[in-house]
Amino acid sequence: AQTVTQSQPEMSVQEAETVTLSCTYDTSESDYYLFWYKQPPSRQMILVIRQEAYKQQNATENRFSVNFQKAAKSFSLKISDSQLGDAAMYFCAYRRWGDTGTASKLTFGTGTRLQVTL
Amino acid sequence: GAVVSQHPSWVICKSGTSVKIECRSLDFQATTMFWYRQFPKQSLMLMATSNEGSKATYEQGVEKDKFLINHASLTLSTLTVTSAHPEDSSFYICSARDLLGRELIEAFFGQGTRLTVV
């Protein structure tokens, strides 16, 4: 079974600074997806960024980028120029490569609560 | 982006009664819908996966007779918590995947339902 571990329950960053959230995972699969989701106080899950395992290039979405180390099974999220609106719970998630049914379910980490201070 | 609408946003019910939560994909057809449960300050735990027109697949430890899932159409799945008890109080979230299974389009999440059983 796949597992996702986020070892940082809470992180804090000053506005405009950079912060990195850690995530490691365990799988025997070679093809899969990795995601970072944001859950603000509204509790609506928002996709931040995704990475396909077969891609060597790290995904980037504006101020958000990942450091994907497949051999080390590590998938960290870097948030640059942090903003107050970035304060939220961040979940790392894994999904097997598959189109249908339970094969496409997400396995979530325990989450990291990010605080952004002035 | 695609929209998943979940209703109600919050509900309070008496112990012993049943509560139905609806999850609708508004602008796409969802072959697969997932139901998660989230306790305060914890991660999302997958309860079950439902495929349109077939029985739901429940995760280990989830009572099938207590959490009834119906996915009668490509745009609607329902979760019914039967004979609810205070320990069923939680935040329930649904997500849906696009019919075409477009790999670059991730599952979309509903707004969640906060259930309080008194």
Side-chain angles (χ1 to χ4, degrees):
Chain A
Q2 293 80 22
T3 58
V4 178
T5 302
Q6 294 178 249
S7 59
Q8 306 155 315
E10 290 190 10
M11 291 284 285
S12 182
V13 63
Q14 282 191 324
E15 199 176 16
E17 296 297 309
T18 296
V19 65
T20 298
L21 308 183
S22 301
C23 173
T24 59
Y25 59 95
D26 187 28
T27 183
S28 58
E29 306 283 336
S30 58
D31 292 323
Y32 49 87
Y33 298 99
L34 295 166
F35 306 88
W36 278 99
Y37 279 91
K38 170 184 178 181
Q39 189 179 42
S42 68
R43 303 191 80 170
Q44 171 75 58
M45 295 291 285
I46 301 167
L47 177 64
V48 175
I49 199 166
R50 60 178 166 255
Q51 175 81 42
E52 292 88 343
Y54 68 85
K55 291 186 178 179
Q56 293 185 337
Q57 186 173 8
N58 290 324
T60 298
E61 288 287 344
N62 300 314
R63 299 184 293 107
F64 299 89
S65 62
V66 299
N67 183 3
F68 174 48
Q69 302 290 329
K70 190 173 184 179
K73 296 181 182 176
S74 171
F75 183 61
S76 61
L77 174 69
K78 185 172 80 171
I79 305 174
S80 304
D81 187 25
S82 296
Q83 301 175 359
L84 294 177
D86 295 333
M89 279 290 288
Y90 286 82
F91 292 99
C92 178
Y94 169 100
R95 196 186 97 194
R96 283 177 53 186
W97 186 280
D99 283 341
T100 60
T102 57
S104 59
K105 68 181 181 181
L106 289 168
T107 300
F108 288 93
T110 51
T112 297
R113 181 171 300 280
L114 178 66
Q115 294 182 330
V116 181
T117 59
L118 294 172
Chain B
V3 177
V4 174
S5 178
Q6 185 175 342
H7 291 283
S9 299
W10 59 272
V11 58
I12 301 174
C13 71
K14 291 184 178 180
S15 187
T17 62
S18 296
V19 174
K20 179 183 285 187
I21 302 170
E22 291 190 348
C23 181
R24 294 182 183 270
S25 55
L26 297 185
D27 52 0
F28 67 98
Q29 293 179 314
T31 49
T32 304
M33 289 188 173
F34 303 90
W35 287 95
Y36 295 88
R37 183 173 181 175
Q38 186 180 29
F39 290 105
K41 299 185 179 181
Q42 293 190 24
S43 187
L44 281 72
M45 288 178 44
L46 180 66
M47 298 174 65
T49 304
S50 70
N51 292 301
E52 184 266 338
S54 63
K55 290 183 178 180
T57 301
Y58 289 82
E59 295 297 299
Q60 191 172 5
V62 177
E63 298 177 60
K64 301 178 183 181
D65 295 332
K66 180 164 192 61
F67 299 100
L68 301 179
I69 291 172
N70 184 278
H71 193 163
S73 76
L74 286 171
T75 59
L76 174 65
S77 177
T78 60
L79 167 67
T80 301
V81 183
T82 63
S83 187
H85 288 93
E87 56 265 30
D88 298 325
S89 298
S90 189
F91 192 70
Y92 294 87
I93 307 175
C94 72
S95 72
R97 285 202 66 204
D98 188 274
L99 172 67
L100 298 179
R102 289 170 281 180
E103 291 299 327
L104 295 181
I105 298 179
E106 181 43 28
F108 299 95
F109 287 83
Q111 307 95 316
T113 298
R114 182 181 301 281
L115 170 63
T116 301
V117 184
V118 299

